[in-house]
Amino acid sequence: QQQVKQSPQSLIVQKGGISIINCAYENTAFDYFPWYQQFPGKGPALLIAIRPDVSEKKEGRFTISFNKSAKQFSLHIMDSQPGDSATYFCAAAAGNTPLVFGKGTRLSVIA
Amino acid sequence: EPEVTQTPSHQVTQMGQEVILRCVPISNHLYFYWYRQILGQKVEFLVSFYNNEISEKSEIFDDQFSVERPDGSNFTLKIRSTKLEDSAMYFCASLDRGRGGYTFGSGTRLTVV
């Protein structure tokens, strides 16, 4: 019930391509869905987040798509760049409850 | 932009020793959390703290762990008798009252030898 399932585990994308990472959840009480970017040796940094009252949110090259009925949300990185190479975590929370993280996706963008 | 500050960035300790990890959350935030991340694995919740008391804790947060906010600004995680399996990155996070997101510190890498 508390899990967030993330896929794929790793992803290799050509520079300029689109990176897509998917997450699914079970707990319908979740009302906050952030994506975090983590570089080696650093803490997770908030990239973009969405609430269930919208189906899509875009910030620059990063877009979250949210499907409430399917209980799924995804991160799209347009025009992927080598500097985007990092580990990406989806997460979910209900109110002030602790974030539940997915297992992460290691993205490598190759030139 | 406000930051969550964690010290030290790296701590090496002998098995069985006590360690204290320190965090300075964002000043107007009300909810505080500790998470850990074993190398290459996902970020796991340890404990949350609100209104000067623990509000929730995971099964990882056993009697060896404790948290406190000794002076209204610092937020500490103490591990009483460290084990090899406590080696991990420990992240502090804070959350404000509103609809903002959680802000994470850059972590303390704890190595137990």
Side-chain angles (χ1 to χ4, degrees), chain A residues 32 36 38 41-44 46 51 53 89 93 95-104 106, chain B residues 31 33 35 37 41-43 45 48 56 89 91 95-97 99-102 104-106 109:
Chain A
Y32 177 68
Y36 285 86
Q38 185 180 33
K42 300 293 184 184
L46 180 65
R51 301 270 177 185
D53 49 349
F89 292 94
N96 300 319
T97 63
L99 285 168
V100 178
F101 282 83
K103 290 188 175 182
R106 183 171 293 189
Chain B
Y31 302 87
Y33 307 84
Y35 290 81
Q37 185 180 31
Q41 299 187 24
K42 72 174 182 179
V43 181
F45 166 69
S48 58
E56 193 171 342
M89 285 287 286
F91 295 106
L95 174 69
D96 67 15
R97 182 199 296 268
R99 294 172 64 83
Y102 298 70
F104 281 81
S106 53
R109 180 179 297 279

Side-chain angles (χ1 to χ4, degrees), chain B residues 77-109:
Chain B
L77 173 70
K78 182 192 291 187
I79 309 174
R80 255 180 283 281
S81 178
T82 50
K83 303 187 283 284
L84 293 175
E85 54 264 38
D86 294 327
S87 296
M89 285 287 286
Y90 288 80
F91 295 106
C92 172
S94 69
L95 174 69
D96 67 15
R97 182 199 296 268
R99 294 172 64 83
Y102 298 70
T103 302
F104 281 81
S106 53
T108 294
R109 180 179 297 279

Side-chain angles (χ1 to χ4, degrees), chain A residues 2 4 6 23 33 36 38 46 51 55 60 62 92 96 105:
Chain A
Q2 281 295 97
V4 175
Q6 183 173 347
C23 282
F33 302 91
Y36 285 86
Q38 185 180 33
L46 180 65
R51 301 270 177 185
S55 60
F62 301 93
N96 300 319
T105 296

